[in-house]
Amino acid sequence: GQLPPALRVRQLRHLVLVVAIKAADVSNPARPWHLASMWSDQVMVGVHLSRVDLEEQMGLPRSKNMDRRPEQKPACQTGFIDFLG
């Protein structure tokens, strides 16, 4: 059967937000450098490094190229690209 209208609206709203975030992430390299770098830093802190914290709390080995040291940022980014490719 069909979903109630309120639930369909919520699901559609969620889908639109997910697509907007993905589009912003994928389009990041086309932005001016200062904006692209800032977005990248936020993704690193908000997504990747919070995963590192959780892995450490759970006693799991750290995911490859996930590190808080600034010099590891390029390795993390290229490692992620290699993972997707």
Side-chain angles (χ1 to χ4, degrees):
Q2 288 198 355
L3 298 172
L7 186 55
R8 284 190 304 221
V9 168
R10 262 189 291 191
Q11 286 181 330
L12 182 58
R13 185 177 297 139
H14 181 262
L15 176 63
V16 168
L17 290 173
V18 167
V19 169
I21 290 171
K22 291 291 182 187
D25 192 26
V26 171
S27 68
N28 193 48
R31 298 175 191 274
W33 174 248
H34 71 281
L35 294 175
S37 181
M38 184 172 55
W39 178 267
S40 176
D41 290 344
Q42 292 303 312
V43 169
M44 289 283 294
V45 170
V47 178
H48 300 293
L49 297 181
S50 61
R51 176 182 172 154
V52 169
D53 293 342
L54 185 59
E55 289 171 345
E56 288 177 355
Q57 290 172 5
M58 296 176 72
L60 298 171
R62 179 178 289 163
S63 295
K64 183 180 177 187
N65 296 322
M66 297 290 179
D67 202 314
R68 290 194 177 279
R69 294 174 294 174
E71 66 273 11
Q72 292 299 315
K73 181 179 168 184
C76 180
Q77 292 172 330
T78 56
F80 182 72
I81 292 167
D82 289 344
F83 173 76
L84 293 177

